Each structure stands twice: as C-alpha cells, then as structure tokens.
Amino acid sequence: MGTVTLINNETGEKFDFDLIDCTRGPKAVDFSKLFEKANIFSYDPGYGSTAGCESTISYVDGKQGKLLYKGLPIEEIVEKYKFTDVIKLLITGQAPKNDKESKEFDLELRHRSFLNEGLINIFSAFPDGGHPMANLSSAVAALSTFHFDHKEMESEDDYQIMARRIIAKITTLVAFSYRNSVGAPFIYPDISRNYVENFLYMLRAYPGGKLKYTLKGEEEITPLEVEALDKIFILHADHGQNASTTTVRNVASTGVHPYAAISAGINALWGPAHGGANEKVLVQLREIGDVKNVDKFIARVKDKSDPFRLMGFGHRVYKSYDPRAKAIKALKDDLNKKGIKMDSRLSEIAEKLEEVALNDDYFKERNLYPNVDFYSGIILTALKIPVQLFTPMFVIGRMPGWCAQAMEHMKNPHARITRPRQVYLGK
C-alpha cells in the first residue's frame, strides 16, 4: 500500500497517509485521521474531492462517460434486463438467473404493493394541488410508523423484506400522491399486471378499474409504453454518491428508521439542481418555443451578465457525454419509429440545442454535453405522464439504489455517524 506525505509549510511537520487502491478509478487518500494527526482538516465545499464511504453498488467514470451497476455497463443492462431484474441485482447482488426467477420476483413485488388503509387515510389531509413530491416524502416517512419493525434489523432476510416492501409500495405511493394532488379517487394495485404496467394502471384507470374511455374504445396500456418506462427506470436506478443518495446515507448514519432516511432522500431529489431538472428542461423547451429561437437562447447562455442557464446540459461528474443520455436519446428515436410519437416541436428544439452544444467551442470547452434529464421529459410527455410527476417517476427509478446504499451503510460495522467539520468565519 502506498502513502502520501503532507507537509505543513508553516511548521515543517510531515505526516504520512495511506493510499487506498480502488478496483476502478483513481486511488484515494485515507484522511480519516487527518485532524487527529495534524490538527488541521480539509476544506472541500460540495465534497467533490471527498469520498464519504466505500461502496460496491455503482461506479461512475465521468471522464470516460461510463456507468456500471455491480460491474455491468449500463448499455448492457438496458439491453438485457428488465427493471425488476435490476432491482434484484442492486439489493441482492445477483440478477435473476432465469425467466422463472425473474417472474417470481416481479410477482412478489406486486403482492407487496398494497398500502395499509391507515396510510391511505393520511392522503386525505393533504390539500388538492399540492406537489406530488411533498405528498410522497410525507407518505414514505409515515410508512415507517406502519412498519416500525424495520428500525432494528438483524438478519439478511430483515434487510431484504425492508427493501422489497418499500420498492413494491413506491409505485402505489407515487400514483396515490399524484391522484390526490389532482383530487382524483385512488385506484388499487392489480396484481395481474407486472410491476411497471401496474404503475401505469394505477395512474390512468378510472373508478371501477376501467382505463380511460375514448371514441376508439378503452385506451389500453401498450407493451411498448411499459418497455419504454421500464428502460427509463433502469437508467435512474443508481448513480454513485449523488446528493440524494448521500442524503440517504447521512440520515441513515444516525440510526434512524431506513424509511425516514429514504424520505429525506426524496426531499433532496426534489430540487431542480438534482431530480427536478427534467421538469425544468421541459418548461425551458416550451419557453424557447420554436427552433428559430434557439440561437437567441444560446447567446443568453454565453452572456455573463445574463443569469439564464440552459437546463439539461452539463453534469457535476460527467466531463463527456452522459451514457444515460445516449441511451435515452436512442430510446426516444426508437419509440418514434415504433409509433409513440414525440412532440415534434419540442424534439426539434431539443435536437437543435444538442447540435449546437456538440459543435460550439463554448460548450465543448466547458464539457457541457446533454445529460439524462435532457430527453427524458420529452419521452415522459409522449407516455402521457404529467409534468409534475416527472420527479416522482425519478423516485421510483432510484428507490432500489437508495435501498441498496442504505443497507450497505447499515451493515458496515465500521460506519460512523456523518459529522463534517466547518471553516468557521464568524465572531
């Protein structure tokens, strides 16, 4: 194992710190004893150069534009697996071995998707028109009171039941949160439908379980819609130590109920700098309005005196094209060919923006490539998902990652409560 020597130029003191070999990516310096040894601490706003944990769940290579789940490239996962297979991969470390095992796991999640009637009654206290993310985070926190046994977990079975329960119920909670926000009656799960299809059913169906009636007959949920949504969920399942995942780990470090930690993660995801970005992208595309206005908005991006910021471009980690953005753009084009038509005006604007960004030196010098949020809103709109539901959809996708991360932290015998230091500048 190598070391790094830190020299305090004020005192001449030297301190050695161990280097940690990562299985992928650069080495890390073990600064856990920095304050104890040197009576100084590091200053790293946003923790961009700081690792707060060890993990085996997902790996992001921002320079190369790579994303791995349990060592598997995201491109391979999107091509070969269903979302429920990815859920099992992340929370158990093993994807289903065959179709039978895959179907059995999906069926287990469907059977766990029902909510306690007492929890359903909580929704009646929320006002119509409230954002579904507010309803959702509150409902997930309340879920801990109905399953308080998860506060103390001893065996692997305990952890698995905790994770599978909230992953199963999150689709119901999202559907209920949205329907409550618009004053619509709830539709209970239908276990004859698979995990993703069941979500669309709870979102769309009318009282009595009937899907929306049109002049052409009942508007059934198509396999193509289910497949598209399945892939979107896969692309959001985990992404290293992002803001919401770090929030889940930080809150879990206090020993709180895991569902309370996940509720905190939902609130962190809500922000437009994180999971709320795809909602803001769609709003901005509509603001641009026409492809002929693109150059005017690009000029605003370059104007230092203009606070305008182009949403859906650039990423805190990726310094090349986000691999999820490549996959989601390919999905958009594929859906268009197969009959799920995108909004042509929004697509045209988005494609023009991307063309400019990939060829303009201003964007290339700053590594401002399209990210996963850029095209996802256009696809979700084509799938008839309301804009205010975009971020809750992200919650469904990210839930297995949060559960895997929380379990990894709680099982670690060396994990400590998160307690960063501060650079104090007050009186």
Side-chain angles (χ1 to χ4, degrees), residues 76-289:
E76 178 183 334
I77 287 176
V78 168
E79 184 68 27
K80 293 183 178 180
Y81 292 101
K82 296 189 302 183
F83 180 53
T84 47
D85 298 336
V86 174
I87 293 172
K88 192 171 190 298
L89 172 68
L90 292 180
I91 67 173
T92 70
Q94 296 290 331
K97 298 182 182 66
N98 49 51
D99 190 54
K100 180 176 180 289
E101 194 173 303
S102 176
K103 288 179 178 177
E104 286 176 350
F105 183 73
D106 189 298
L107 185 60
E108 177 188 346
L109 294 179
R110 285 182 253 168
H111 278 281
R112 292 185 182 277
S113 64
F114 292 88
L115 304 178
N116 185 293
E117 288 294 319
L119 180 60
I120 294 173
N121 291 336
I122 290 174
F123 283 98
S124 63
F126 298 144
D128 291 353
H131 197 288
M133 284 294 279
N135 292 356
L136 186 59
S137 64
S138 302
V140 168
L143 190 63
S144 64
T145 67
F146 291 90
H147 301 287
F148 197 71
D149 52 313
H150 297 325
K151 178 71 167 61
E152 304 295 336
M153 291 180 287
E154 299 177 354
S155 68
E156 179 60 26
D157 283 347
D158 292 337
Y159 284 103
Q160 285 298 316
I161 292 171
M162 178 279 295
R164 295 173 192 216
R165 181 169 275 156
I166 192 168
I167 290 167
K169 296 183 190 304
I170 195 62
T171 51
T172 312
L173 286 169
V174 169
F176 279 29
S177 294
Y178 171 70
R179 294 183 75 101
N180 179 77
S181 72
V182 296
F186 302 135
I187 298 296
Y188 285 69
D190 177 357
I191 60 172
S192 70
R193 303 171 186 269
N194 70 36
Y195 182 85
V196 174
E197 181 188 355
N198 194 28
F199 169 67
L200 285 173
Y201 166 75
M202 289 187 287
L203 202 62
R204 292 182 183 175
Y206 276 39
K210 291 288 186 181
L211 288 162
K212 183 178 179 181
Y213 188 80
T214 68
L215 293 176
K216 296 180 181 179
E218 286 189 12
E219 186 180 341
E220 293 294 341
I221 298 164
T222 69
L224 187 57
E225 290 176 308
V226 175
E227 180 186 351
L229 196 54
D230 196 275
K231 290 183 184 297
I232 288 174
F233 287 152
I234 289 173
L235 291 169
H236 289 85
D238 200 61
H239 202 243
Q241 300 308 307
N242 54 79
S244 57
T245 297
T246 300
T247 298
V248 170
R249 279 187 175 260
N250 286 348
V251 177
S253 77
T254 68
V256 73
H257 192 290
Y259 292 170
I262 289 169
S263 175
I266 292 172
N267 287 320
L269 188 73
W270 191 357
H274 192 9
N278 55 7
E279 184 176 338
K280 293 296 183 183
V281 168
L282 199 68
V283 170
Q284 194 168 86
L285 291 175
R286 287 172 174 163
E287 180 187 355
I288 294 172

Side-chain angles (χ1 to χ4, degrees), residues 50-71:
T50 301
C53 67
E54 297 175 343
S55 184
T56 65
I57 298 166
S58 65
Y59 173 74
V60 182
D61 185 331
K63 290 184 179 179
Q64 298 297 321
K66 294 181 180 179
L67 171 62
L68 311 176
Y69 294 168
K70 290 292 183 178

